[in-house]
Amino acid sequence: MRISVLGGSGFIGPRVMRRLVEHGHEVHCMDINPNAPVLDPLRDKVEIIHGDITVMGDVVEALVAAKPDRVLNLAYILGASEADPHPQVKINILGMDNCFEAARLLDIRRVVYASSLAVYGPQRLHGDKMVTEDDLCLGTGIYSVSKRFNEHQADWYNRAYDMAITGIRPANITGPDKVRGSMNHVQCQVLPAREQPVRFPHADTMTLPLHVEDIAEVFVRVTLAEQTAHAIYNSGGHPTSMADLAAAVRQFLPDADITFDQQEGGHDASGLYLMDNSRLVEEFEIEYAPFDQRVLETINEVRHSEGLPPIE
């Protein structure tokens, strides 16, 4: 199968492409930064070209060249300032529309894209309950609203043109090399692994981490599906407080210097952390690795890159 990945040089993209290649698929990548070092391990396995998701001609040209059976759009801005919405709107909304419209024009029916748990807004708006795909999307930030609009775009194309566009709402994706977006759960693992101190405002702040390798597998399975039963899927994750995450890190690094300004005060301001993913699990037989195992993997990947001995 031929698969085009738009925006492959980000945090998730290289892992998805690696898995697709390992499964024997032909992968083509269009990215604004085709020379990114993170793509180096894939250069002899994946066709990589320069292209800007906000330029319709670039997207059409990339898909014409690849002739894909599937398109996976992972091009988006995450963690940008609310004070400068224009670049975010260009990439997150116009870029997504270019993807959908180019696929329509070229008769590529099957498209998968990244939405976000941010569409729901903070957990306090939903009460103390697991949020399903049928619950209201109440997010109001630029990124949240952009992703909400993406889902409306996808629904419109599906209805108007009988396309099969599917979105995935990832949780707080974590891993050793994440540099933007939600970062407290990343810093809580990465900085102690480097033997550096880290401090957070509140111990009771809740988060919903999910390791990048786990979400990469989700994107692979959904992308390879001929058809999906639903148009949108929650990823789920591992709901945890920052205090509990610190305790998980200290299982492997007992001397980790992780401190908090206050024990309480962050819970009510937390983002969404109770996300039901039954729909994804039942249809795609997704089973995530134990969270403590992923914490240890992250610690050891960081220590390896820093020249430090691994934790057994």
Side-chain angles (χ1 to χ4, degrees):
M1 185 181 298
R2 286 191 300 276
I3 300 161
S4 281
V5 179
L6 307 179
S9 72
F11 183 45
I12 300 171
R15 281 136 170 133
V16 172
M17 293 191 291
R18 186 199 75 225
R19 287 169 180 259
L20 290 169
V21 168
E22 289 171 352
H23 285 300
H25 300 287
E26 179 183 331
V27 180
H28 297 252
C29 172
M30 185 200 83
D31 198 272
I32 192 70
N33 185 14
N35 297 316
V38 72
L39 295 174
D40 288 347
L42 294 166
R43 294 195 188 281
D44 61 342
K45 306 177 184 73
V46 173
E47 182 73 27
I48 302 171
I49 65 169
H50 174 269
D52 185 340
I53 191 73
T54 69
V55 178
M56 182 63 168
D58 285 5
V59 181
V60 171
E61 184 176 344
L63 298 187
V64 167
K67 297 180 176 62
D69 304 292
R70 304 281 192 277
V71 176
L72 171 59
N73 187 9
L74 296 175
Y76 51 86
I77 287 185
L78 182 62
S81 169
E82 294 275 312
D84 188 15
H86 183 62
Q88 299 178 67
V89 170
K90 279 184 66 179
I91 293 178
N92 294 338
I93 295 182
L94 176 61
M96 189 69 76
D97 195 65
N98 285 343
C99 168
F100 295 163
E101 179 67 1
R104 179 190 76 83
L105 291 173
L106 298 172
D107 199 27
I108 304 167
R109 187 168 179 268
R110 192 78 179 91
V111 180
V112 177
Y113 69 97
S115 183
S116 172
L117 90 167
V119 299
Y120 290 115
Q123 185 70 46
R124 61 180 171 76
L125 299 179
H126 302 276
D128 189 22
K129 65 181 284 278
M130 298 290 285
V131 173
T132 73
E133 293 87 347
D134 295 325
D135 281 297
L136 293 175
C137 293
L138 302 173
T140 58
I142 287 289
Y143 183 70
S144 306
V145 173
S146 296
K147 289 302 176 184
R148 289 174 62 183
F149 188 75
N150 291 162
E151 294 183 11
H152 285 293
Q153 289 173 288
D155 286 342
W156 189 86
Y157 272 91
N158 285 342
R159 292 195 310 271
Y161 299 110
D162 191 32
M163 296 180 72
I165 302 175
T166 306
I168 298 167
R169 293 170 175 164
N172 301 128
I173 305 306
T174 193
D177 51 327
K178 187 176 184 180
V179 295
R180 60 180 61 88
S182 57
M183 289 296 294
N184 57 355
H185 51 91
V186 177
Q187 294 167 338
C188 193
Q189 302 171 73
V190 168
L191 294 181
R194 293 176 180 158
E195 301 183 352
Q196 296 175 0
V198 63
R199 189 173 188 85
F200 301 103
H202 301 104
D204 66 340
T205 297
M206 297 295 295
T207 185
L208 187 62
L210 179 63
H211 195 273
V212 63
E213 293 289 351
D214 290 322
I215 195 64
E217 179 63 20
V218 170
F219 275 108
V220 167
R221 295 195 190 188
V222 175
T223 299
L224 295 179
E226 193 68 32
Q227 190 84 17
T228 59
H230 304 277
I232 199 75
Y233 294 85
N234 288 342
S235 73
H238 307 278
T240 183
S241 68
M242 291 303 297
D244 288 342
L245 179 54
V249 171
R250 290 193 181 104
Q251 289 183 82
F252 310 110
L253 298 169
D255 298 326
D257 188 356
I258 308 170
T259 54
F260 300 95
D261 294 333
Q262 300 178 54
Q263 290 300 304
E264 299 181 349
H267 188 277
D268 290 343
S270 300
L272 192 84
Y273 58 85
L274 297 176
M275 178 195 268
D276 181 274
N277 69 345
S278 301
R279 178 181 288 185
L280 185 71
V281 170
E282 291 169 5
E283 186 174 347
F284 293 97
E285 299 181 347
I286 291 294
E287 184 176 352
Y288 297 141
F291 185 57
D292 287 353
Q293 173 188 320
R294 290 305 198 191
V295 170
L296 178 58
E297 290 173 6
T298 296
I299 289 171
N300 277 335
E301 284 190 52
V302 172
R303 291 179 70 82
H304 176 76
S305 68
E306 296 288 322
L308 297 169
I311 304 299
E312 298 296 333

